[in-house]
Amino acid sequence: MGNTTEIQNKLQIFDNSKIRSVWNSEEEKWYFSVVDVIAVLTDSVNPRDYWFKMKKRVHSEDGIELSTICRQFKMQAPDGKMRETDAAHVEALLRIIQSVPSKKAEPFKMWLAKVGSEILDEAVDPELSIDRAIQNYRNLGYSENWINQRIKSIEVRKALTDEWDKSGVKKGKEYALLTDLMYRTWADMSTKEYKEFKSLKKENLRDNMTNIELILNMLAEASATELSQNENPENLAQSAQIAVSGAEVARDARKSLEKRGGKAISAKNAKELGIRQLPFEAEQTSAEDF
């Protein structure tokens, strides 16, 4: 897959079941985890084995190799690691569903159409994706005050990643490297250490920050954005220097608050903080979390 292809991982929900998916911006198509779909449609205790045997059966009966209409993308496995996973876009998935005897097939087809429609609508009107994010946070039990702060943090993050794109920073590992560098600078912890500090595993770190933590992280990112716009970096190394400089602004603010007796960083996660009222569950890490 070329470097110009943007892949965004996301969880989709059908009938209270989680289905891993990726949005391929180059093709403008959703790709869905085949084994997750099979798990939903068949209630199989071993959907991977079901998929393996199904491919053999269809090839034997119809001479069709289902693997050829699938692609492999890295998706987050139950153990939290990113693993290559068979995935299919809507058209291919509809062909696969034809070979799965299930009463859920028709409702699932309608759901696929709805998901596809939503992403196209959001591409035309980005405000819709923000509205959807707000509703998702409400459904998860987050407070309105926290949601407002979180949505603002997404806006600030987007401005910074736009600057990174302009300077040639690649999405994925290089985004993660710069983000980790910024956490190390202003919070004195790497991304991994910060998540461990809050007793998190797969969960989104920002979704478990206090308002103060979100504000400090926004200050770091907004400062880095401002500096980047002034200095126009041309590569990863220059962007890294600016990322550190921006994070130093937030570090100074954090230390100033702590010097005056305030608490800047909390070891508590969303459930423990009370900003999320529903039972605490792990969500998938998305590209924005890096």
Side-chain angles (χ1 to χ4, degrees), residues 142-153:
Y142 285 94
S143 69
E144 290 296 318
N145 179 52
W146 184 92
I147 291 172
N148 291 335
Q149 199 69 40
R150 181 69 176 98
I151 295 301
K152 183 63 179 176
S153 75

Side-chain angles (χ1 to χ4, degrees), residues 165-205:
D165 288 341
K166 284 166 52 180
S167 64
V169 176
K170 296 181 177 63
K171 294 178 176 66
K173 288 185 178 179
E174 292 187 353
Y175 270 32
L177 187 153
L178 294 184
T179 303
D180 191 69
L181 191 59
M182 293 182 76
Y183 280 136
R184 288 179 184 273
T185 302
W186 79 257
D188 289 332
M189 289 182 281
S190 67
T191 308
K192 181 180 179 181
E193 290 168 342
Y194 205 159
K195 294 183 77 170
E196 289 175 347
F197 183 63
K198 285 181 172 288
S199 301
L200 303 176
K201 293 181 181 178
K202 296 188 296 180
E203 300 91 345
N204 182 311
L205 177 56

Side-chain angles (χ1 to χ4, degrees), residues 252-264:
D252 293 344
R254 187 203 99 207
K255 290 187 174 181
S256 178
L257 175 62
E258 291 173 341
K259 185 177 180 180
R260 289 165 173 76
K263 188 173 183 180

